[in-house]
Amino acid sequence: MADKIITGIPVSSGIVIGKAVFVNRSHRSVLPRHTVSADMVEAEKGRLENAFLVAGQEMESIRDKVPGELEQHRLILDSHLMMLRDPKLMGRAKEHIQTLRVNAEWALEKAVSELAQAFLGFDDVYLKERFQDVRQVADRVQTHLLGTVRDLTTIGGRAIIMAHDLTPADTVEIDVSRILGFATTRGGKTSHTGIMARTLGIPALVGVQELENSVTDGDLVVIDGIKGRIVVNPDEEELFEYNTLASRFEEYQKKIIRRCLLPAETSDGFRVKVLANIELLEEVTAVIDNGGEGIGLYRTEYSYLNRTDLPTEDELAEKYVDLASIMSPRKVVFRTLDLGSDKNITEFGQLDEANPAMGLRAIRFCLKHPELFKVQLRAILRASVYGNVSLMFPMISGLRELRRAKARLKEAQLELSRRGVPYNPDMPVGIMVELPSAVMIAELLAREVDFFSIGTNDLIQYSMGIDRTNPNVSYLYQPLHPAILRSIKQVVDAAHQAGIEVSLCGEVASDPFCVPILMGMQIDCISLSPQAIPGIKRIIRQTRMGECRQLLRDVISQQTVGRINRMVKDSIFKKYPEELMFFASLLDSEELPG
């Protein structure tokens, strides 16, 4: 029996077995604090400046040596370099040295902790996790203040890295011929380090809370990037089991990747488009490599975060044109800004609202700030000349709101026309259906747009009246609840009656228990994370439309979510046991077959 089994968040699938090697770049737990005399204040500030300077030079050097397979992630390193050169973080730390008379390490830590309060105040998980970028930049500076730099390139043998944190720059330095995988205490599902691990194809876990107390240098460990486990010093029987599972996973991956470029078509001829949800330009390679037929949801908020000013129209247009041209002729759907309330940007300050999730956000925020909105609309229109660009408005609640948004789009078109800037006047325009009010009047909204995209994450949240990140009520986040299934079907039916396409871009699109039901509803497109595409395509290709329609008829007439869950799981476990073995991140580990 293993010494211990600990759990974390799987961010890159696969299973590896090897010796643990600890890398602790931050050493924050032993940060020294001491008072500096008045005549030493300037010298301490100089030490801080030098640490920022050396960290910046180091980042530049790493960025310039980015290997080919990670070329698309160079922008992440650029953003960290920009943070290192942004005078605000260093300036705030210098203020603490001056006013508190403390050493540079402690002053920097205090400045970072102040930023943490702002980031952790966000309700949005993605935005919360962006604090990790600030943390990682500060840690790089701390290593130079403390003189604790350890170079990943010096690690020998076939090792598994254990660390409090790994930055994207650390990940760039990983030699995949010697480093089998990694696990970190910090990090979340959308961390850049996780994205890069998937690109490198090495198993990785983040957010492993007991890591540093449970594993020591030299331990034999299994990183299970499927079930999110680290097995410390497994016995012979466990080693045999994990070696067998690793082989099965590799065979499965080869099988689904080999066929991921085939269309998502059922064995009796029903075709579904499978698109990708992304927020970073550098994810485009993963979309294409995994068989994505386009981008069904490009989250545009990222260009507005981690900065103190607003992006210009030219800056946005350059990025949007790059995306449209790289993906052409594949479709790209831009979701206009989903900012406001819990996703504030510095320029507009923190809104004081009692219920931020129901406050001034998304399309409401954009209509309140028309000049900001039109800058983005003009940039998207400029990218539309490639002919593959669509635009959709988030969180539309009714006709008046939709018509006001379309009026702003018309104004943006006229402004470009007056400047002689080309754009596609027939660019498709759609809406996110994610509010119960939009579901109830879907047939009216469908007459005014070119497509619908159902955002199930928010639709479930608002329909069930729960904050899905609140552990006290998150159990009510139930995609198979009768109300949710009926809502999705009502939207699909309304779209088809109006002759427009309907897509679904929430997490439900990558849930193997839900996809056959969506097929039964004859959904036109699903949009999901790039890495989930091959597996979901394989499920679709093994499905018969007749079976999906029957499953839909069976579940839509049920009265309770418990009954539907049992019915669906019995059916899906029986039909796709191999797929479910490797969709662990969607399942409770106790539910896994085998």
Side-chain angles (χ1 to χ4, degrees):
M1 186 180 216
D3 287 353
K4 196 159 190 177
I5 297 176
I6 53 178
T7 58
I9 303 167
V11 290
S12 183
S13 297
I15 294 169
V16 284
I17 302 167
K19 294 284 184 186
V21 175
F22 258 92
V23 176
N24 190 347
R25 284 182 170 270
S26 69
H27 291 287
R28 286 195 313 117
S29 58
V30 291
L31 271 181
R33 174 179 179 165
H34 56 82
T35 304
V36 297
S37 59
D39 59 345
M40 288 299 294
V41 164
E42 289 308 314
E44 201 62 16
K45 288 181 187 174
R47 202 164 69 83
L48 181 72
E49 283 178 6
N50 187 60
F52 267 91
L53 178 66
V54 174
Q57 291 168 341
E58 184 181 62
M59 278 292 297
E60 269 185 352
S61 173
I62 294 168
R63 184 198 58 185
D64 293 343
K65 291 185 288 190
V66 170
E69 66 268 29
L70 292 174
E71 180 64 32
Q72 71 271 28
H73 299 301
R74 189 189 292 270
L75 285 175
I76 297 172
L77 303 185
D78 282 337
S79 70
H80 280 206
L81 198 51
M82 283 174 63
M83 279 187 250
L84 274 169
R85 290 174 174 162
D86 185 333
K88 290 198 170 178
L89 180 60
M90 182 167 64
R92 188 64 181 150
K94 279 183 174 179
E95 285 176 26
H96 291 320
I97 293 174
Q98 181 74 44
T99 56
L100 303 175
R101 299 269 180 88
V102 291
N103 55 313
E105 293 90 341
W106 196 263
L108 177 58
E109 200 54 30
K110 183 167 176 59
V112 171
S113 69
E114 290 167 354
L115 276 174
Q117 296 307 311
F119 275 89
L120 297 178
F122 293 136
D123 289 338
D124 185 275
V125 174
Y126 177 79
L127 291 177
K128 274 185 181 174
E129 290 187 357
R130 297 287 63 78
F131 171 69
Q132 291 306 321
D133 294 298
V134 180
R135 177 72 267 172
Q136 289 170 344
V137 165
D139 282 352
R140 185 165 288 277
V141 178
Q142 293 282 24
T143 60
H144 290 285
L145 286 169
L146 294 161
T148 55
V149 179
R150 180 173 180 179
D151 190 345
L152 280 178
T153 60
T154 63
I155 294 173
R158 290 173 61 76
I160 295 177
I161 299 296
M162 303 277 153
H164 187 65
D165 193 15
L166 289 177
T167 68
D170 293 329
T171 314
V172 164
E173 293 186 296
I174 284 177
D175 178 351
V176 292
S177 68
R178 291 187 294 120
I179 295 177
L180 302 171
F182 67 78
T184 63
T185 306
R186 281 198 195 132
K189 268 194 176 296
T190 66
S191 64
H192 290 137
T193 303
I195 292 171
M196 294 171 79
R198 290 192 287 273
T199 303
L200 288 170
I202 59 175
L205 303 185
V206 298
V208 187
Q209 297 304 313
E210 300 174 61
L211 185 65
E212 287 163 303
N213 295 328
S214 304
V215 184
T216 56
D217 263 334
D219 278 345
L220 182 66
V221 294
V222 177
I223 294 280
D224 182 347
I226 299 168
K227 295 183 179 177
R229 292 176 180 170
I230 298 175
V231 183
V232 185
N233 294 320
D235 63 23
E236 285 189 13
E237 187 179 340
E238 289 165 324
L239 269 178
F240 177 78
E241 286 173 4
Y242 274 106
N243 273 314
T244 304
L245 188 59
S247 299
R248 286 178 64 186
F249 179 73
E250 282 178 22
E251 285 170 18
Y252 172 75
Q253 281 296 103
K254 286 178 188 167
K255 204 183 301 178
I256 62 172
I257 290 293
R258 198 163 48 237
R259 302 177 73 81
C260 73
L261 299 182
L262 294 172
E265 184 173 301
T266 63
S267 56
D268 49 356
F270 183 80
R271 179 88 156 80
V272 182
K273 293 175 196 160
V274 179
L275 312 176
N277 300 337
I278 67 168
E279 53 259 347
L280 299 169
L281 193 59
E282 52 265 37
E283 292 178 272
V284 164
T285 303
V287 176
I288 296 170
D289 289 350
N290 285 295
E293 298 170 73
I295 294 171
L297 170 62
Y298 178 59
R299 301 184 179 99
T300 57
E301 296 80 56
Y302 187 75
S303 298
Y304 291 74
L305 304 174
N306 294 332
R307 55 188 298 161
T308 55
D309 57 350
L310 293 174
T312 65
E313 178 187 320
D314 285 346
E315 192 180 332
L316 291 174
E318 183 180 0
K319 186 173 291 186
Y320 297 167
V321 164
D322 281 349
L323 180 58
S325 61
I326 293 168
M327 289 302 296
S328 179
R330 301 176 183 87
K331 181 179 189 177
V332 180
V333 181
F334 286 83
R335 182 180 71 183
T336 60
L337 278 173
D338 191 0
L339 282 175
S341 190
D342 63 322
K343 301 178 188 175
N344 291 313
I345 47 181
T346 306
E347 186 78 11
F348 292 88
Q350 184 77 32
L351 295 172
D352 183 17
E353 296 183 304
N355 297 296
M358 299 184 184
L360 189 63
R361 55 169 294 199
I363 194 64
R364 305 165 188 182
F365 180 86
C366 288
L367 292 174
K368 176 86 172 175
H369 301 286
E371 289 313 312
L372 171 142
F373 190 28
K374 285 198 290 180
V375 165
Q376 187 189 37
L377 294 176
R378 290 194 297 269
I380 295 172
L381 283 165
R382 285 166 61 175
S384 71
V385 292
Y386 282 88
N388 58 335
V389 168
S390 302
L391 173 152
M392 65 180 175
F393 300 119
M395 211 174 173
I396 292 290
S397 63
L399 282 173
R400 182 170 179 271
E401 208 168 40
L402 172 60
R403 288 169 181 164
R404 288 181 65 202
K406 288 170 71 176
R408 295 301 182 199
L409 179 62
K410 188 68 179 171
E411 289 170 15
Q413 289 174 323
L414 291 173
E415 287 160 6
L416 288 180
S417 296
R418 281 197 288 272
R419 286 162 41 192
V421 178
Y423 62 88
N424 175 14
D426 300 317
M427 176 181 67
V429 175
I431 61 167
M432 295 276 293
V433 178
E434 49 194 339
L435 296 176
S437 64
V439 173
M440 285 185 271
I441 60 165
E443 79 281 8
L444 301 177
L445 294 166
R447 296 172 195 160
E448 308 234 355
V449 293
D450 299 305
F451 65 93
F452 280 162
S453 185
I454 304 172
T456 48
N457 298 349
D458 274 342
L459 180 60
I460 295 170
Q461 176 165 274
Y462 290 118
S463 297
M464 302 299 290
I466 52 120
D467 172 358
R468 63 181 185 274
T469 65
N470 181 334
N472 294 317
V473 293
S474 60
Y475 69 94
L476 286 169
Y477 185 83
Q478 297 166 332
L480 293 175
H481 191 284
I484 303 302
L485 293 180
R486 291 174 194 207
S487 294
I488 294 172
K489 188 171 187 309
Q490 184 177 336
V491 175
V492 173
D493 290 346
H496 289 169
Q497 282 165 16
I500 65 172
E501 275 197 351
V502 58
S503 176
L504 188 143
C505 61
E507 289 179 18
V508 166
S510 56
D511 186 334
F513 293 115
C514 297
V515 167
I517 297 173
L518 297 176
M519 301 279 291
M521 294 181 189
Q522 300 190 55
I523 197 111
D524 300 293
C525 317
I526 54 174
S527 191
L528 52 155
S529 74
Q531 290 71 29
I533 289 174
I536 289 295
K537 268 189 159 183
R538 180 174 152 86
I539 284 181
I540 292 170
R541 288 181 60 78
Q542 294 182 85
T543 300
R544 289 186 62 80
M545 195 55 182
E547 295 169 347
C548 294
R549 289 198 183 100
Q550 184 57 54
L551 181 61
L552 174 64
R553 280 194 292 271
D554 290 342
V555 301
I556 207 79
S557 59
Q558 299 302 316
Q559 297 178 8
T560 68
V561 67
R563 175 70 183 151
I564 293 173
N565 274 328
R566 283 192 296 277
M567 186 177 284
V568 170
K569 289 186 177 178
D570 286 349
S571 167
I572 304 299
F573 272 137
K574 192 180 300 179
K575 190 165 176 59
Y576 311 108
E578 187 180 19
E579 277 67 27
L580 293 180
M581 173 70 74
F582 302 119
F583 271 101
S585 62
L586 297 169
L587 306 169
D588 295 331
S589 57
E590 291 74 17
E591 292 180 318
L592 285 168

